[in-house]
Amino acid sequence: MKTYRIATIPGDGIGKEVVPAGAQVLEALAKTTKSFAFEFENFDWGGDYYRKHGVMMPADGLDAIRDKDAILFGSAGDPDIPDHITLWGLRLKICQGFDQYANVRPTRILPGIDGPLKRCKPEDLNWVIVRENSEGEYSGVGGRVHQGHPLEAATDVSILTRAGVERIMRFAFRLAQSRPRKLLTVITKSNAQRHAMVMWDEIALEVSKEFPDVKWDKELVDASTARMINRPATLDTIVATNLHADILSDLAAALAGSLGIAPTGNIDPERRFPSMFEPIHGSAFDIMGKGLANPVGTFWSVVMLLEHLGEVDAAKRVMQAVEAVTADKSLHTGDLGGTATTAQVTAAVCAFIERAAVPAANAA
Ligand code: IPM
Ligand code: MG
């Protein structure tokens, strides 16, 4: 039997509620099979750790999780600590430290969920956004001088490298190729940004030649927001720079019904380091500690984690359980207009996984 070693990092706010729920679902899944088990190690990094130690995670923190098979992350963000410190001190430190350069964000309208678009049928919206996760607008390069003086100046330099763009384009084309429609939209802004985005477009064209069976097009980022709303069915796989995809993925999640549902994977496709899976929602301080957080974003992230481990069948079983639960409106949390609690949704998903496994166990 294979034992997968999983690092759990709940982080801040509702991350502390949804990550244990995600671990609970993995435990329930493990009980239904003899082929794998999980060994969890929890790390209390985040805002509270910062208050005690002055840093979001220890200096040698990456070494503690380097050998894990995957990381399940909650969220980073604290009302009393500047957002750029919580972000750069923990989540980006892991993403960049482990070169998780492909951020993958699937979006679908799950059963039982009402999206806000009145003309969009559930089957019209089935996207995966691939976010460049290592450079671009999040390069961290820039500076600030003459603070407080009239001639104060500040820069955030967006850097794109040929190596960085080639690898994310290749990843996106390959992902598009693996999906039934074999359709990729490359998001750009090369009309206004005439250096790096022009290189981005050129590299997209070069890489496309390696994937003759993938149909692809280019869309300006501003136009793509209108297209997502007016013609959602014309999109399938989407690749964009770090910031463009950050913005588009919030829009995508909202169009699919709620930010509380959306998952993401920070992937090192070369598997040199563990990849990290997390719900896309933030720490949500307004509802933290009340047991009201929607754990579905974490459960879907768990599905991505299982797929990454190669446990495709198990991933399908968890997704079926999640969809059975979203289909039942009495199990909707507040973000979906319901009154269910995190614990109720979690128990329902675990129960479904256990129930669904019984016939298979009998057959074996
Ligand atoms: C996301 C989030 C983060 C980001 C925030 C928390 C800094 O919005 O994962 O999309 O911008 O990367
Ligand atoms: Mg975002």
Side-chain angles (χ1 to χ4, degrees):
M1 173 155 64
K2 172 102 186 97
T3 299
Y4 294 114
R5 303 175 67 224
I6 311 290
T8 50
I9 309 176
D12 303 319
I14 60 170
K16 291 182 187 148
E17 296 161 59
V18 294
V19 165
Q24 219 176 308
V25 164
L26 284 171
E27 296 278 25
L29 177 72
K31 272 197 226 136
T32 67
T33 175
K34 290 198 165 51
S35 60
F36 59 80
F38 299 102
E39 189 184 290
F40 295 99
E41 189 176 353
N42 194 60
F43 296 86
D44 62 349
W45 303 337
D48 294 337
Y49 192 94
Y50 183 89
R51 270 180 281 279
K52 270 188 241 142
H53 305 280
V55 284
M56 292 289 287
M57 66 187 276
D60 59 356
L62 290 182
D63 292 332
I65 54 177
R66 192 180 298 278
D67 294 329
K68 302 294 183 192
D69 293 302
I71 305 161
L72 184 63
F73 187 84
S75 71
D78 188 294
D80 301 324
I81 309 171
D83 284 340
H84 63 275
I85 291 180
T86 53
L87 177 70
W88 283 93
L90 184 57
R91 190 170 153 273
L92 285 187
K93 204 163 163 177
I94 298 171
C95 289
Q96 300 201 344
F98 288 160
D99 200 19
Q100 296 162 340
Y101 65 83
N103 182 259
V104 179
R105 303 189 160 192
T107 316
R108 278 194 291 127
I109 301 180
L110 297 185
I113 309 279
D114 292 321
L117 291 180
K118 57 176 191 288
R119 275 174 289 134
C120 175
K121 300 186 287 299
E123 61 272 23
D124 290 342
L125 199 165
N126 185 347
W127 304 331
V128 187
I129 297 179
V130 176
R131 171 179 180 181
E132 200 299 311
N133 213 30
S134 65
E135 54 180 27
E137 308 87 344
Y138 284 58
S139 296
V141 174
R144 198 159 163 193
V145 287
H146 305 309
Q147 287 199 35
H149 292 278
L151 42 61
E152 178 167 358
T155 59
D156 277 297
V157 181
S158 172
I159 295 179
L160 289 182
T161 62
R162 170 165 281 277
V165 178
E166 277 182 9
R167 66 184 185 174
I168 199 66
M169 286 297 169
R170 230 167 243 130
F171 181 88
F173 270 96
R174 204 169 288 134
L175 181 65
Q177 192 177 44
S178 75
R179 288 169 54 89
R181 295 175 69 197
K182 299 190 195 303
L183 191 63
L184 177 69
T185 299
V186 176
I187 304 297
T188 186
K189 191 65 196 177
S190 50
N191 53 349
Q193 295 181 301
R194 60 200 176 133
H195 307 293
M197 291 313 294
V198 172
M199 180 182 81
W200 169 269
D201 290 3
E202 285 170 11
I203 293 174
L205 177 63
E206 283 167 30
V207 172
S208 75
K209 307 225 161 87
E210 299 166 23
F211 300 88
D213 55 337
V214 174
K215 255 186 41 206
W216 73 287
D217 65 353
K218 246 177 5 187
E219 187 73 83
L220 295 169
V221 64
D222 48 347
S224 73
T225 59
R227 178 165 163 192
M228 283 166 75
I229 288 169
N230 293 328
R231 294 180 294 131
T234 65
L235 295 161
D236 188 84
T237 308
I238 297 165
V239 63
T241 64
N242 218 323
L243 182 63
H244 289 169
D246 175 41
I247 297 164
L248 295 182
S249 59
D250 265 30
L251 175 58
L255 294 178
S258 169
L259 220 59
I261 290 174
T264 182
N266 301 283
I267 313 268
D268 165 25
E270 278 80 45
R271 295 175 184 267
R272 300 155 295 172
F273 304 102
S275 292
M276 178 163 75
F277 301 85
E278 55 172 342
I280 189 172
H281 62 65
S283 31
F285 277 93
D286 51 329
I287 57 162
M288 74 178 249
K290 297 186 179 151
L292 300 177
N294 190 347
V296 168
T298 303
F299 298 159
W300 196 345
S301 304
V302 158
V303 170
M304 295 181 76
L305 182 154
L306 289 164
E307 283 168 352
H308 185 75
L309 294 178
E311 298 295 348
V312 179
D313 204 59
K316 274 202 194 103
R317 288 201 284 130
V318 176
M319 199 65 213
Q320 271 163 10
V322 169
E323 293 190 23
V325 165
T326 59
D328 179 350
K329 287 202 168 36
S330 76
L331 289 167
H332 284 189
T333 43
D335 55 309
L336 297 171
T339 56
T341 63
T342 313
Q344 284 166 338
V345 180
T346 307
V349 169
C350 291
F352 187 96
I353 291 171
E354 280 155 22
R355 261 201 322 275
V358 172
N362 285 347

Coordinates of all heavy atoms in Angstrom, one line a residue, residues 273-302:
F273 N 9.5 19.2 -7.1 CA 9.0 19.7 -5.7 C 7.5 19.3 -5.5 O 6.9 19.0 -6.5 CB 9.2 21.2 -5.6 CG 10.5 21.7 -5.9 CD1 10.8 22.3 -7.1 CD2 11.5 21.6 -4.9 CE1 12.1 22.8 -7.4 CE2 12.8 22.1 -5.2 CZ 13.1 22.7 -6.4
P274 N 7.1 19.3 -4.3 CA 5.6 19.1 -4.1 C 4.8 20.2 -4.7 O 5.2 21.3 -4.7 CB 5.5 19.0 -2.6 CG 6.6 19.7 -2.0 CD 7.8 19.6 -3.0
S275 N 3.6 19.9 -5.2 CA 2.7 20.9 -5.7 C 1.7 21.2 -4.6 O 1.6 20.4 -3.6 CB 2.0 20.3 -6.9 OG 2.9 20.2 -8.0
M276 N 1.1 22.4 -4.7 CA 0.3 22.8 -3.6 C -1.2 23.2 -4.1 O -1.3 23.8 -5.1 CB 0.9 24.1 -3.0 CG 0.1 24.7 -1.9 SD 1.1 25.9 -0.9 CE 1.2 27.3 -2.0
F277 N -2.1 22.7 -3.3 CA -3.5 22.8 -3.7 C -4.3 23.6 -2.7 O -4.1 23.4 -1.5 CB -4.1 21.4 -3.9 CG -3.3 20.6 -4.9 CD1 -2.2 19.9 -4.6 CD2 -3.7 20.6 -6.3 CE1 -1.4 19.3 -5.6 CE2 -3.0 20.0 -7.2 CZ -1.8 19.3 -6.9
E278 N -5.2 24.5 -3.1 CA -5.8 25.4 -2.2 C -7.1 25.9 -2.8 O -7.2 26.0 -4.0 CB -4.9 26.6 -1.9 CG -4.5 27.3 -3.2 CD -3.7 28.6 -3.0 OE1 -3.8 29.2 -1.9 OE2 -3.1 29.0 -4.0
P279 N -8.1 26.2 -1.9 CA -9.2 26.9 -2.4 C -8.8 28.3 -2.8 O -7.9 28.9 -2.3 CB -10.2 27.0 -1.2 CG -9.3 26.9 0.0 CD -8.1 26.0 -0.5
I280 N -9.5 28.9 -3.8 CA -9.2 30.2 -4.3 C -9.6 31.4 -3.4 O -9.1 32.4 -3.4 CB -9.7 30.3 -5.8 CG1 -9.2 31.5 -6.6 CG2 -11.2 30.3 -5.8 CD1 -9.7 31.4 -8.0
H281 N -10.6 31.1 -2.6 CA -11.1 32.1 -1.7 C -10.1 32.6 -0.7 O -9.1 31.8 -0.4 CB -12.4 31.7 -1.0 CG -12.2 30.5 -0.1 ND1 -11.4 30.5 1.1 CD2 -12.7 29.2 -0.1 CE1 -11.4 29.4 1.6 NE2 -12.2 28.5 0.9
G282 N -10.2 33.7 -0.1 CA -9.3 34.2 0.9 C -9.6 33.7 2.3 O -10.2 32.7 2.5
S283 N -9.1 34.5 3.3 CA -9.3 34.1 4.7 C -10.6 34.4 5.2 O -11.0 33.9 6.3 CB -8.1 34.6 5.5 OG -7.7 35.8 5.0
A284 N -11.4 35.3 4.6 CA -12.8 35.6 4.9 C -13.0 35.9 6.4 O -13.7 35.1 7.1 CB -13.7 34.5 4.4
F285 N -12.4 36.9 6.9 CA -12.4 37.2 8.4 C -13.8 37.5 8.9 O -14.1 37.3 10.0 CB -11.5 38.3 8.7 CG -10.1 37.8 8.9 CD1 -9.2 37.8 7.8 CD2 -9.7 37.3 10.1 CE1 -8.0 37.3 8.0 CE2 -8.5 36.7 10.3 CZ -7.6 36.8 9.2
D286 N -14.7 37.9 8.0 CA -16.1 38.2 8.4 C -16.8 36.9 8.9 O -17.7 37.0 9.8 CB -16.9 38.9 7.3 CG -16.8 38.1 6.0 OD1 -15.8 37.5 5.7 OD2 -17.8 38.2 5.2
I287 N -16.5 35.8 8.4 CA -17.2 34.6 8.9 C -16.3 33.6 9.6 O -16.7 32.5 10.0 CB -17.9 33.8 7.7 CG1 -16.9 33.4 6.6 CG2 -19.0 34.7 7.1 CD1 -17.4 32.4 5.7
M288 N -15.0 34.0 9.8 CA -14.1 33.0 10.4 C -14.5 32.5 11.8 O -15.1 33.3 12.6 CB -12.7 33.5 10.5 CG -12.4 34.5 11.5 SD -10.7 35.0 11.5 CE -10.1 34.3 13.0
G289 N -14.2 31.3 12.1 CA -14.5 30.8 13.5 C -15.9 30.5 13.7 O -16.3 30.0 14.8
K290 N -16.8 30.6 12.7 CA -18.2 30.4 13.0 C -18.7 29.1 12.4 O -19.8 28.7 12.5 CB -19.0 31.5 12.3 CG -18.8 32.9 12.9 CD -19.7 34.0 12.4 CE -19.4 35.3 13.0 NZ -19.8 36.4 12.1
G291 N -17.8 28.4 11.7 CA -18.2 27.1 11.1 C -19.1 27.3 9.9 O -19.8 26.4 9.5
L292 N -19.0 28.4 9.2 CA -19.9 28.7 8.1 C -19.3 28.7 6.7 O -19.9 28.8 5.7 CB -20.6 30.1 8.3 CG -21.4 30.3 9.6 CD1 -21.9 31.7 9.7 CD2 -22.6 29.3 9.6
A293 N -17.9 28.5 6.7 CA -17.2 28.5 5.5 C -17.6 27.4 4.5 O -17.9 26.3 5.0 CB -15.7 28.4 5.7
N294 N -17.6 27.7 3.2 CA -17.9 26.6 2.3 C -16.7 25.8 2.0 O -15.7 26.3 1.5 CB -18.4 27.3 1.0 CG -18.9 26.3 0.0 OD1 -18.8 25.1 0.1 ND2 -19.6 26.8 -1.1
P295 N -16.7 24.5 2.4 CA -15.5 23.7 2.2 C -15.4 23.1 0.8 O -14.4 22.4 0.5 CB -15.7 22.5 3.2 CG -17.2 22.4 3.2 CD -17.8 23.7 3.0
V296 N -16.3 23.4 -0.1 CA -16.3 22.8 -1.4 C -15.1 23.2 -2.3 O -14.5 22.4 -3.0 CB -17.6 23.1 -2.2 CG1 -17.5 22.7 -3.7 CG2 -18.8 22.4 -1.6
G297 N -14.6 24.4 -2.1 CA -13.4 24.9 -2.8 C -12.2 24.0 -2.4 O -11.4 23.7 -3.2
T298 N -12.2 23.7 -1.1 CA -11.1 22.8 -0.6 C -11.3 21.4 -1.1 O -10.3 20.7 -1.5 CB -11.1 22.8 0.9 OG1 -10.9 24.2 1.3 CG2 -9.9 22.0 1.4
F299 N -12.5 20.9 -1.1 CA -12.7 19.5 -1.6 C -12.4 19.3 -3.1 O -11.8 18.3 -3.5 CB -14.2 19.1 -1.4 CG -14.6 19.1 0.1 CD1 -16.0 19.2 0.4 CD2 -13.7 19.0 1.1 CE1 -16.4 19.2 1.7 CE2 -14.1 19.1 2.4 CZ -15.4 19.2 2.8
W300 N -12.7 20.3 -3.9 CA -12.4 20.3 -5.3 C -10.9 20.4 -5.4 O -10.3 19.7 -6.3 CB -13.1 21.4 -6.0 CG -13.1 21.3 -7.5 CD1 -12.4 20.4 -8.3 CD2 -14.0 22.0 -8.4 NE1 -12.7 20.6 -9.6 CE2 -13.7 21.6 -9.7 CE3 -14.9 23.0 -8.3 CZ2 -14.3 22.1 -10.9 CZ3 -15.6 23.5 -9.4 CH2 -15.2 23.1 -10.7
S301 N -10.2 21.1 -4.5 CA -8.7 21.2 -4.5 C -8.2 19.8 -4.2 O -7.1 19.4 -4.7 CB -8.2 22.2 -3.5 OG -8.8 23.5 -3.8
V302 N -8.8 19.1 -3.3 CA -8.4 17.8 -2.9 C -8.5 16.8 -4.2 O -7.7 16.0 -4.4 CB -9.3 17.3 -1.7 CG1 -9.3 15.7 -1.7 CG2 -8.8 17.9 -0.4

